[in-house]
Amino acid sequence: MKMIKKINNNVALVSDRGTRAVVIGLGVGFNARPGSTVDESRVQERFVLQQNANVAHYMELLKKIPANTIEAAVHIVRDAARMLDKSLPGILVFTLADHIGFAKERLLEGIVLEHPLSCEIAQCYPDEYRAALHGVEIMSDHLGMDVPEAEASFIAIHIANALGDFAGRFDAAEMAEMISGSIALVEQGIGRGTDRSSMAFSRFIAHLRYYLMRRIDGEVGEEADADLFRLVSAKYAEAFSYARAIDAYLTEEHGLGAGDCGACPGELLYLTLHINRLISNERSERTGQDGQ
């Protein structure tokens, strides 16, 4: 294991048997020089960079980003991997460090940004969002400043993208945008907002997310029994109309056409049932409130 660049006494960029990685460990970078052998007994954690990573780009980043910012990113990635029980790529350390540096500049100027899809991100990526909320605390500790909770949405998107579960065709922000647009169609149809804290809403989001993933992956889905399809589409005509509207929106606005399982009867049937449960729950709660 050879030293490429010391970030600080406890963090370094190294080359290890043909791969490049960020390594962490007490004193791992102490008195280190480029090309020197790294004391591997000091390495406690390592984040491997992808084979095609532009090392020159990341070296340039390291020159510009303060050590405490790198440390914050490393701490966030380490804890997120533990909380999610998943391996996270080393590249996330750099993308997060870049974001944290930019966020610090904004916050020092008194500029607090709210992600336009913050509610959807929290709903679509609840585990990543919880890790991101913890990341906000880490940012505050390492930067020595109060970091607003609004930053959690941006961190969650970075984590979700790093996990890469959407076939590479859409990033997490666009996935959240598709979900937001789908929710808007239902809310426009029923003429009011939905209770986003309800169990029915959470179930709907969970199903919608996997419905979108199947569409993106081009999975055909299950064929519906013709009689059952006619029964459901007639009995839940309102919900079925919203399901069709969502299908059209995804096709026309996001390019998920027939080749991507557009309007598959089985998928539309299940989507209709989830929408019906959601709007039934909304009306039941509204009736209960009106009766009080």
Side-chain angles (χ1 to χ4, degrees):
M1 185 180 287
K2 299 293 184 180
M3 180 68 61
I4 295 177
K5 180 177 176 61
K6 165 186 170 179
I7 297 173
N8 58 42
N9 283 340
N10 304 316
V11 184
L13 178 65
V14 304
S15 174
D16 183 19
R17 291 179 286 275
T19 64
R20 291 176 172 84
V22 175
V23 295
I24 307 162
L26 187 62
V28 72
F30 183 68
N31 280 339
R33 299 280 189 278
S36 63
T37 300
V38 177
D39 183 354
E40 296 190 37
S41 68
R42 293 182 178 274
V43 175
Q44 297 172 321
E45 295 180 83
R46 64 200 298 268
F47 299 97
V48 178
L49 301 180
Q50 288 94 329
Q51 288 291 336
N52 60 349
N54 186 339
V55 175
H57 169 71
Y58 296 114
M59 289 288 289
E60 195 62 31
L61 271 181
L62 290 177
K63 294 177 184 177
K64 298 177 181 177
I65 298 175
N68 65 338
T69 301
I70 296 284
E71 289 173 347
V74 167
H75 194 166
I76 291 171
V77 173
R78 181 183 63 206
D79 284 12
R82 174 181 53 79
M83 293 174 70
L84 297 169
D85 193 24
K86 292 181 179 178
S87 177
L88 291 168
I91 204 77
L92 182 57
V93 170
F94 292 93
T95 56
L96 269 182
D98 193 36
H99 168 76
I100 292 168
F102 178 58
K104 181 180 179 180
E105 291 177 8
R106 285 192 287 102
L107 294 172
L108 287 174
E109 294 176 8
I111 301 172
V112 177
L113 292 182
E114 290 277 353
H115 198 291
L117 299 171
S118 57
C119 291
E120 288 78 10
I121 291 167
Q123 288 283 346
C124 298
Y125 310 102
D127 295 334
E128 291 87 344
Y129 189 75
R130 277 191 291 274
L133 285 173
H134 177 58
V136 169
E137 297 176 1
I138 293 171
M139 281 179 65
S140 296
D141 290 342
H142 282 273
L143 301 182
M145 61 192 301
D146 289 330
V147 177
E149 193 173 294
E151 289 299 322
S153 296
F154 297 98
I155 296 173
I157 285 296
H158 280 294
I159 294 172
N161 279 334
L163 289 172
D165 59 350
F166 303 119
R169 289 181 53 194
F170 294 87
D171 66 14
E174 187 159 6
M175 172 67 80
E177 181 184 340
M178 287 189 281
I179 289 176
S180 178
S182 300
I183 293 168
L185 288 170
V186 175
E187 291 181 334
Q188 288 168 10
I190 64 176
R192 60 176 175 273
T194 51
D195 177 6
R196 302 194 177 198
S197 65
S198 71
M199 183 62 69
F201 185 83
S202 295
R203 290 195 194 100
F204 172 63
I205 289 296
H207 177 78
L208 184 58
R209 183 185 180 197
Y210 288 109
Y211 168 70
L212 289 171
M213 288 172 67
R214 288 193 295 273
R215 291 277 302 263
I216 290 169
D217 287 338
E219 295 181 14
V220 174
E222 299 177 6
E223 285 297 326
D225 176 84
D227 291 336
L228 179 61
F229 185 77
R230 281 194 294 271
L231 174 66
V232 170
S233 60
K235 185 174 182 179
Y236 306 119
E238 181 185 10
F240 181 68
S241 70
Y242 302 150
R244 292 294 298 271
I246 289 171
D247 180 79
Y249 159 72
L250 294 173
T251 300
E252 296 165 10
E253 299 296 326
H254 293 280
L256 298 184
D260 295 302
C261 182
C264 172
E267 297 285 5
L268 279 180
L269 186 151
Y270 289 122
L271 185 59
T272 297
L273 293 174
H274 280 279
I275 293 172
N276 183 70
R277 176 184 288 180
L278 175 65
I279 61 180
S280 296
N281 180 76
E282 289 295 323
R283 285 170 179 155
S284 176
E285 287 190 354
R286 181 59 60 91
T287 300
Q289 292 170 359
D290 292 343
Q292 292 178 356

